[in-house]
Amino acid sequence: LNLKEMGKESWAMYLSGFKMIQEKYGELQWTDGDLCIRLPANNGDIVREGEVLRHCVGTYGKGHVNESTVIFFVRRYRRPERCYYTLCMDMRGEPKRNQLHGYGNERHGLNKQYPHSIPRKVLDFCDKWEREVLGKWYREQQRKMKEAKRA
């Protein structure tokens, strides 16, 4: 997305959406000491992720902002600036994993003709994060909403 396609007001709202996502989901950034979960700070981070990993996440900025495809970067803790895997979650309602992809959506070669699998370590890390961090966070959000309704 760019300013020419959106207009100034829409673009400003779009950019402020990244800040809102950071504020709302920032506490979900986490590490187990080896891998970590990070949020993109802006649309440029998402575009770069797609370019480096050669998958389509670079076009998901709008979904990130509207929470249908909130993007979390899975990184090596010691090198959080380097793209590794991309985890996309639908956060409208109970969180649900949309996708988890690494380089070329697990395909490589000149024509992406060679498949490779996501390492078990990455899958286990994402499962643990969903269970222990995201699940706990979501239950707490639900508790707060119920409390607010009673008040």
Side-chain angles (χ1 to χ4, degrees):
L1 294 175
N2 63 42
L3 185 56
K4 288 178 185 175
E5 294 171 358
M6 296 182 80
K8 279 187 176 180
E9 273 185 46
S10 295
W11 184 251
M13 286 178 54
Y14 177 67
L15 294 178
S16 70
F18 278 88
K19 184 176 182 191
M20 183 273 302
I21 293 293
Q22 281 279 344
E23 290 170 2
K24 186 172 183 178
Y25 301 115
E27 64 192 85
L28 295 175
Q29 298 181 107
W30 177 77
T31 185
D32 67 355
D34 190 31
L35 297 175
C36 61
I37 294 277
R38 297 286 176 254
L39 282 164
N42 53 53
N43 191 60
D45 288 350
I46 294 172
V47 170
R48 180 177 173 275
E49 182 88 351
E51 288 172 352
V52 171
L53 293 179
R54 296 186 62 200
H55 59 52
C56 63
V57 75
T59 63
Y60 290 3
K62 196 171 184 179
H64 179 74
V65 169
N66 74 25
E67 301 178 70
S68 63
T69 310
V70 176
I71 299 162
F72 295 92
F73 298 150
V74 179
R75 302 286 194 248
R76 290 183 177 96
Y77 180 70
R78 291 178 182 228
R79 298 295 304 269
E81 74 284 356
R82 292 185 72 188
C83 300
Y84 188 43
Y85 278 84
T86 311
L87 174 64
C88 300
M89 302 290 297
D90 184 341
M91 299 296 282
R92 302 168 300 172
E94 187 169 350
K96 183 178 85 176
R97 185 185 299 183
N98 287 344
Q99 3 182 353
L100 173 64
H101 287 299
Y103 184 78
N105 291 344
E106 293 66 67
R107 300 200 64 84
H108 64 280
L110 187 57
N111 298 304
K112 293 189 176 183
Q113 68 270 33
Y114 305 114
H116 60 274
S117 59
I118 299 171
R120 172 58 43 201
K121 181 179 186 175
V122 172
L123 292 169
D124 290 347
F125 172 80
C126 291
D127 289 344
K128 182 177 182 181
W129 175 79
E130 286 181 38
R131 203 174 45 251
E132 296 180 13
V133 178
L134 179 61
K136 182 179 176 183
W137 175 87
Y138 179 71
R139 289 187 299 277
E140 180 63 18
Q141 298 305 307
Q142 294 300 298
R143 186 192 64 75
K144 286 178 182 178
M145 283 176 38
K146 285 180 185 174
E147 240 177 50
K149 285 181 182 178
R150 281 186 249 154

